[in-house]
Amino acid sequence: MIEQILYNQIPVKNIPQAVKWFVDVLDFQFIWHIEDEQLAQLNLPSGQMLFLIETNDSKGINFTQNDAKHGVIGFHTKDIHGLYNKLKANKVNVTEIVDAGDNLFLDFYDLDGNRFNVQCDASKKL
């Protein structure tokens, strides 16, 4: 039976730029880039893999439900305020932190307009 999500794939317009952004801004680890397949692998320190796929398709990974925008990948952090400050310092399009009681949330966009959500447990509020 299925045990975990192993990887996610993200459409990007330019792999070298996207790799640099994910490494510099989000601290992903660069693993490899296969130019002829227009594919790169990045990993989080915890082992989850993210594949960047170069495409001219402009749809991205966002969708709308009842006029609310959503992304398909949610991240977790123990330091949402530190992440927020780092995103702002890197001129990333990021929402304000929302306090939902048990959790704090924010959304941000990568260079290609892909939307991501970040959650921080209430016990980690700083």
Side-chain angles (χ1 to χ4, degrees), residues 60-79:
I61 61 170
N62 307 324
F63 67 95
T64 304
Q65 178 194 39
N66 299 325
D67 296 324
K69 294 180 183 178
H70 298 273
V72 297
I73 297 177
F75 295 111
H76 182 265
T77 184
K78 293 178 182 174
D79 183 7

Side-chain angles (χ1 to χ4, degrees), residues 12-105:
V12 299
K13 300 272 188 253
N14 181 296
I15 286 199
Q17 286 179 354
V19 165
K20 181 172 177 21
W21 189 88
F22 277 89
V23 168
D24 292 349
V25 176
L26 300 180
D27 299 325
F28 274 81
Q29 178 186 7
F30 173 73
I31 304 300
W32 50 256
H33 174 206
I34 303 173
E35 288 186 40
D36 61 333
E37 291 184 29
Q38 299 178 307
L39 180 68
Q41 179 183 340
L42 305 172
N43 285 10
L44 285 170
S46 54
Q48 290 88 6
M49 295 180 279
L50 181 69
F51 289 97
L52 304 178
I53 300 175
E54 194 166 310
T55 179
N56 290 323
D57 185 350
S58 63
K59 294 177 185 171
I61 61 170
N62 307 324
F63 67 95
T64 304
Q65 178 194 39
N66 299 325
D67 296 324
K69 294 180 183 178
H70 298 273
V72 297
I73 297 177
F75 295 111
H76 182 265
T77 184
K78 293 178 182 174
D79 183 7
I80 199 162
H81 296 285
L83 175 63
Y84 175 84
N85 291 333
K86 183 172 185 176
L87 293 171
K88 291 298 266 187
N90 282 280
K91 298 183 170 115
V92 174
N93 181 2
V94 59
T95 64
E96 295 299 319
I97 296 170
V98 173
D99 188 336
D102 292 337
N103 298 292
L104 297 172
F105 296 94

